[in-house]
Structures are given as C-alpha cells and as structure tokens.
Amino acid sequence: MRPVRGWLVRLENAAALDAVVSPVQRVVRKVLAPGRVRDTLHGVDIGHPAHPILVQATIGSLASGTVCDLIGEDRAARRLIGLGLLSAVPAASAGIADWSEQHEQQMRTGLVHWGSNLVALSLYGASLVSRHRGRSTAARRLSLTGLAVLGASGFLGGDIAFRQAGGANHAEQVRHLVGPGWHTVGPVSDFPAGQASRRAVAGVGIVVVRGESGIDVLANECSHLSGPLCDGVLTSSGGDRCLVCPWHGSTFRLRDGAVVHGPATAAQPVFETRVREGSLQVRLPNAG
Ligand code: FES
C-alpha cells in the first residue's frame, strides 16, 4: 500500500477519534436542527453539496493573500485574508452540517480536516493581528504556514469527497445500470398497500410503495450514502407522500424523487409504472 494511502486508511479507521466525534456530532445536530437552514447548508436547493462551492471563496482569498505577502503587497494581503476569514463562516457551517450526517470513517477524517482548518484560520488570524502590531515578517510567516496547513486540510477534504464518496450522488449509477424499456417486477397483489417493499430490476434495488391512488417506485439505495429506503418510514409533506431514509433522515417525494429534506441533495431516481395482466412493470426515463 502506498504510504499516503496507508496513512489515510489508518486515519479513517482510527476508532479512538470517536471519543471526540460522537459528542461533537450530538452538539452539531442540536444546534443545526433539521429544517430550512440546515437544508440550505447541505445544498438541497442547488442539487449538490454547498460546501465545495463556498470554500472556493475562502481558499482563493487566503491563498491570494499569501501570494500578495510574498510579492510585498501588504495592503492587498490584509484585505484578502480578512475576506477569507469572513467567508470561512458559511463554508465551515455547510461543511459541519454535512460532516454530522456521514459514515464514521468519513467523520474521523472529517474531524482532522475540521481541526486542520481551524489551525489554518487561526494562523491567518494571527497574521492579521501581527500586521496591526507592525510585525510584518512574522505576519508573512504566519500566512505562509497557514497556507501550508490549509493545503493539507484540502487534501483531506478531497479524500472525503472522492475516495470516500462523502458528497457524491450514490444513486447516479442507477440510470446506467437499468436498461431502457419496461421491466416486469411481479404481481401487483404481492405489494401490500401502505408499505415499502424491496425488489430488483436488472440487479438494481428498487423500492415499491403501493398507495390508494397508485404505485410509486424509486431506486432503493439512498442518493445520500446508499441507505436502504425500503426500511424507511412513509410520511407526507405538503400533501405529497414521502419516504424517509432510515439512516440520516433524508426525505424524498414519492411521485418524482425530489429531496424534501436533506442531508441528501440529489433527487432519488424514480421509475414510471404500469400494470399489465396483473403484473407491475417499471421503466426508468433516460435509462441506458
Ligand atoms: S443514506 Fe443518509 S439519508 Fe439516506
């Protein structure tokens, strides 16, 4: 195993970190209770996590501030570092909201990512203070060290996002796995009314919900982190029937798979349905 990869795997499996992760997660969940603000921080309105967008302003400003330091543009450096510190507030809030609803391995790496960011921001803050005190050499050293820590932290953020798929759409592959056309699922009488039942088409799990007005079929694995929607709770929101994921509470509208509440941000694939000779058939629009 390559050294960096080995270190990342050891970090994500460092169960000792759970002693910090668990209480912090409880506090975050209490402070950022489910609702509009939390959904916005997750990125429900834009269809993918908001954190990666928001960090652009922070990283860009702070890195540019350090570059200005290196070329002797102190006035510009002050402004950019100040902007970077301010923009870190929404970026960190979104990241913390996402972090609090992840797998334990992602949360362990995320805790170190979070801590590294705090160190980096503190170094940049200390750099600003040093400037005000007229200690320009110390200020430049602090901003340069802050950038190095920020880079290392960004590396961990990339590991969470890409290798551990922390912010990916875990249902995206469904449309590539299910072939076009109608697929027979089974006799309609096999699906009890008012319950979520798990089946499969073309090897892809689906969840079938039979209601009074018809049958709704969604991909079974939650777009957030692949939780089994067939074990979820049926509910309603704004007059629409919804299914709540048992793992982190993402709520999907049955008729179109739309995310009603996060942490999921990507809509759940939804199948068209029809009944032929008593059997349920499903088709995925844009499959293939
Ligand atoms: S897996 Fe996290 S909400 Fe479904």
Side-chain angles (χ1 to χ4, degrees):
M1 195 180 290
R2 294 183 179 173
V4 174
R5 163 100 173 95
W7 185 82
L8 290 171
V9 170
R10 278 199 297 281
L11 175 60
E12 73 180 36
N13 290 318
L17 291 172
D18 295 348
V20 180
V21 166
S22 300
V24 175
Q25 182 189 33
R26 277 197 294 277
V27 172
V28 171
R29 281 180 167 174
K30 209 171 262 181
V31 173
L32 291 174
R36 184 72 192 145
V37 171
R38 187 180 180 110
D39 283 344
T40 301
L41 289 173
H42 283 309
V44 169
D45 295 324
I46 55 176
H48 64 78
H51 179 63
I53 301 170
L54 294 171
V55 298
Q56 304 301 317
T58 307
I59 296 172
S61 301
L62 293 177
S64 301
T66 300
V67 170
C68 286
D69 265 343
L70 292 174
I71 61 174
E73 294 288 344
D74 180 64
R75 191 180 157 90
R78 282 175 197 240
R79 289 180 174 172
L80 285 164
I81 291 172
L83 181 63
L85 292 176
L86 279 178
S87 68
V89 176
S93 301
I96 289 167
D98 290 346
W99 171 86
S100 68
E101 304 293 349
Q102 292 190 317
H103 290 313
E104 61 255 47
Q105 291 84 357
Q106 295 160 345
M107 293 183 78
R108 290 169 191 150
T109 307
L111 186 71
V112 179
H113 172 59
W114 183 355
S116 307
N117 282 334
L118 273 178
V119 171
L121 294 174
S122 301
L123 287 164
Y124 273 109
S127 173
L128 274 190
V129 172
S130 292
R131 268 165 239 269
H132 284 299
R133 291 180 177 165
R135 297 164 57 193
S136 56
T137 304
R140 281 199 295 274
R141 284 184 183 147
L142 284 164
S143 79
L144 198 56
T145 312
L147 183 61
V149 177
L150 197 63
S153 182
F155 175 74
L156 292 178
D159 183 71
I160 298 166
F162 299 110
R163 191 179 64 80
Q164 299 190 51
N169 173 6
H170 286 250
E172 204 285 328
Q173 72 281 7
V174 168
R175 61 188 168 137
H176 307 293
L177 295 172
V178 176
W182 291 97
H183 304 264
T184 299
V185 181
V188 172
S189 55
D190 281 0
F191 303 105
Q195 283 185 28
S197 308
R198 190 189 189 286
R199 293 292 188 277
V201 289
V204 173
I206 58 172
V207 57
V208 180
V209 181
R210 187 175 161 198
E212 287 173 7
S213 55
I215 299 176
D216 295 298
V217 178
L218 273 61
N220 185 52
E221 293 191 351
C222 176
S223 67
H224 177 230
L225 285 174
S226 302
L229 292 182
C230 60
D231 295 335
V233 174
L234 288 165
T235 183
S236 66
S237 174
D240 289 308
R241 293 191 310 146
C242 299
L243 189 52
V244 181
C245 178
W247 283 6
H248 310 101
S250 290
T251 304
F252 299 98
R253 200 160 54 200
L254 283 173
R255 67 179 159 84
D256 58 4
V259 179
V260 177
H261 294 299
T265 53
Q268 196 65 10
V270 66
F271 291 73
E272 296 172 350
T273 64
R274 71 181 185 186
V275 176
R276 288 290 183 273
E277 298 175 357
S279 273
L280 171 66
Q281 294 184 338
V282 298
R283 178 174 68 177
L284 190 61
N286 305 316

